[in-house]
Amino acid sequence: MSPRAQPYLLVVGSALIDIIGTVERNMPGTDQLGQVDITYGGCAYNMAVNLKAFGYNTALLTALNTSPFSAMVSSQLNHAGLRHFIHRDAALPNAIYCGIFSKGNALAGVYKTAVATAILPTATINRALHTAKAVLVTCDVGQKNLHTLLKVAHKKNQAVYVAGISPHDVLLLATCKNAPITAAFMNEAEAGTLARHLKTSAKNWQQLAAEL
């Protein structure tokens, strides 16, 4: 079996450019000397790269526009040797995170992802899922994309795992009651936010899962 035909874990979500500024002191409202680094990130990108580093056959499905910034992300995916499926749309925003840190702590950050804005075509989803053994979706993909992924994967009898990734993004799971999700991953802060949003009386993880 050729490498391209081998089953893989498909990760779906954001891939973007990280612009990280590091300063010695927090001095709001002032320009400061510091260090600025440009790297690559996005929760789905990080998961896919790390899974590949651990030896898992992994692919990434994401969305990008046609700007030079997106060309940099595409080039990085090729450089990392990561199989990828990209929905391209010139009207999508640039996928960039910009953060300021001091002594390892985040002082401020702003970001925009293309995949949250995009509507992934069903044909692209089908192509990405064709030889996928399982699917890992991050909660920044947007409601319509997640529901389409769940529907297509269910028809193919593929397991779907969903990662909360942040207290804001995890609320997407509130739109998926009784959906065919194999498992959802979230930390304590994300679970608390989701429980409050659902106005649930759940006292533990098992009770919260039962209400989804």
Side-chain angles (χ1 to χ4, degrees):
M1 182 183 295
S2 71
R4 302 291 291 183
Q6 291 178 357
Y8 48 79
L9 171 61
L10 179 68
V11 185
V12 187
S14 62
L16 46 76
I17 289 176
D18 279 337
I19 302 174
I20 306 297
T22 304
V23 295
E24 285 297 318
R25 293 182 296 167
N26 182 13
M27 299 172 62
T30 63
D31 292 336
Q32 298 181 65
L33 288 175
Q35 181 172 331
V36 179
D37 296 294
I38 297 178
T39 184
Y40 300 91
C43 290
Y45 169 85
N46 292 335
M47 291 177 185
V49 168
N50 286 323
L51 285 165
K52 185 176 184 299
F54 278 107
Y56 293 97
N57 194 19
T58 310
L60 175 70
L61 169 60
T62 191
L64 295 170
N65 64 17
T66 55
S67 74
F69 299 108
S70 294
M72 291 170 62
V73 176
S74 298
S75 178
Q76 175 62 20
L77 292 172
N78 290 326
H79 178 73
L82 186 64
R83 184 172 183 177
H84 52 278
F85 303 87
I86 301 177
H87 168 60
R88 296 188 185 278
D89 183 344
L92 294 176
N94 284 316
I96 298 175
Y97 169 83
C98 183
I100 300 176
F101 291 76
S102 178
K103 299 177 181 178
N105 297 314
L107 303 180
V110 60
Y111 71 96
K112 186 74 173 180
T113 66
V115 73
T117 306
I119 300 299
L120 296 173
T122 302
T124 301
I125 292 173
N126 269 301
R127 185 163 56 91
L129 288 173
H130 181 61
T131 53
K133 195 169 185 178
V135 186
L136 173 58
V137 188
T138 57
C139 276
D140 59 357
V141 297
Q143 181 176 330
K144 183 174 177 59
N145 290 331
L146 178 57
H147 289 190
T148 303
L149 280 158
L150 289 169
K151 182 178 179 180
V152 174
H154 183 63
K155 286 182 178 179
K156 295 176 179 291
N157 198 31
Q158 291 165 318
V160 178
Y161 302 87
V162 181
I165 75 173
S166 78
H168 168 74
D169 291 305
V170 76
L171 294 180
L172 183 62
L173 284 170
T175 72
C176 299
K177 194 172 180 65
N178 299 319
I181 296 173
T182 305
F185 303 101
M186 64 192 84
N187 60 28
E188 186 175 357
E190 293 159 4
T193 298
L194 182 59
R196 287 190 294 274
H197 179 80
L198 294 173
K199 298 180 180 179
T200 176
S201 59
K203 303 298 183 182
N204 54 47
W205 296 93
Q206 290 81 7
Q207 291 178 8
L208 178 59
E211 295 194 20
L212 289 176

